[in-house]
Amino acid sequence: MAQLNILRYPDPRLHKIAQPVTVFDARIKQLVADMAETMYAAPGVGLAATQVDVHEQVVVIDVSDEGKNLQVFINPEILWASDEKRIYDEGCLSVPGIYDGVERPARVKVRAFDADGKAFELDADDLLAVCIQHEMDHLKGKVFVEYLSPLKRNRIKTKLQKEEREMKKKAG
């Protein structure tokens, strides 16, 4: 296993649309393992392949307190979303240190494949529902800050670009 490099907003690669996985092989299993290791090390509760510059529809999530309940969603699709909405303070490994409220459906039903290519359906609510929707947005090239006002989004972009320049100065 290997830790992968997580793209940081506003990297344009975060806006690429992920393609469906068509072959469930050792490469996909390795990608899932590497993504899980990267997510746990970050630490985070979800990671989409887009965030590690792999533009395939692969998501790993673990919302458990112990970090021992890895869930894999390949080619996920939302079959149903509740009319009831909730606002959660979301964060993102590609937007480090930034948290803000995003309104999303409170419950969803999702269909996906696991790493072996076995189809499943899952009803999700609370943090898991939010996480599924957040990570699926990444697969569509959307980052959670795009739900925020243009003013907040520009402030976040400026802050992260400044941090990036400072990190390069220290490293260089």
Side-chain angles (χ1 to χ4, degrees):
M1 292 198 305
Q3 283 189 34
L4 306 170
N5 183 46
I6 298 173
L7 301 177
R8 286 174 56 118
Y9 180 79
D11 192 308
R13 293 172 290 179
L14 289 168
H15 299 292
K16 285 187 180 178
I17 307 290
Q19 299 303 306
V21 171
T22 56
V23 178
F24 293 83
D25 57 7
R27 184 188 66 80
I28 287 296
K29 287 184 175 150
Q30 186 64 53
L31 175 62
V32 166
D34 292 346
M35 286 175 60
E37 181 178 337
T38 303
M39 176 189 72
Y40 288 127
V45 296
L47 187 67
T50 301
Q51 293 176 269
V52 294
D53 203 19
V54 176
H55 302 284
E56 294 180 88
Q57 294 178 11
V58 179
V59 167
V60 295
I61 294 174
D62 188 342
V63 296
S64 69
D65 291 335
E66 313 79 42
K68 294 187 188 317
N69 187 29
L70 183 69
Q71 294 176 282
V72 177
F73 299 84
I74 298 176
N75 301 341
E77 60 178 309
I78 291 179
L79 302 175
W80 173 85
S82 67
D83 291 333
E84 178 192 355
K85 308 271 193 228
R86 289 219 181 104
I87 296 176
Y88 280 87
D89 253 4
E90 294 188 25
C92 181
L93 296 177
S94 292
V95 192
I98 305 294
Y99 299 87
D100 213 318
V102 175
E103 184 179 63
R104 297 185 187 272
R107 295 180 312 285
V108 295
K109 181 180 193 105
V110 65
R111 178 188 305 142
F113 294 90
D114 65 16
D116 295 316
K118 183 174 180 256
F120 67 93
E121 290 183 7
L122 176 76
D123 291 312
D125 60 10
D126 299 321
L127 181 58
L128 181 57
V130 170
C131 202
I132 288 168
Q133 294 171 82
H134 175 110
E135 300 308 334
M136 285 181 68
D137 276 353
H138 279 299
L139 300 179
K140 297 172 195 158
K142 187 169 188 175
V143 180
F144 92 97
V145 297
E146 292 169 45
Y147 288 100
L148 307 178
S149 72
L151 177 65
K152 278 187 179 180
R153 200 168 43 248
N154 285 334
R155 283 183 179 161
I156 291 166
K157 186 187 255 184
T158 300
K159 178 180 191 262
L160 293 176
Q161 286 172 328
K162 182 181 176 193
E163 286 175 7
E164 189 82 19
R165 283 192 303 272
E166 288 172 3
M167 286 189 327
K168 284 181 180 170
K169 274 186 200 171
K170 286 180 184 175

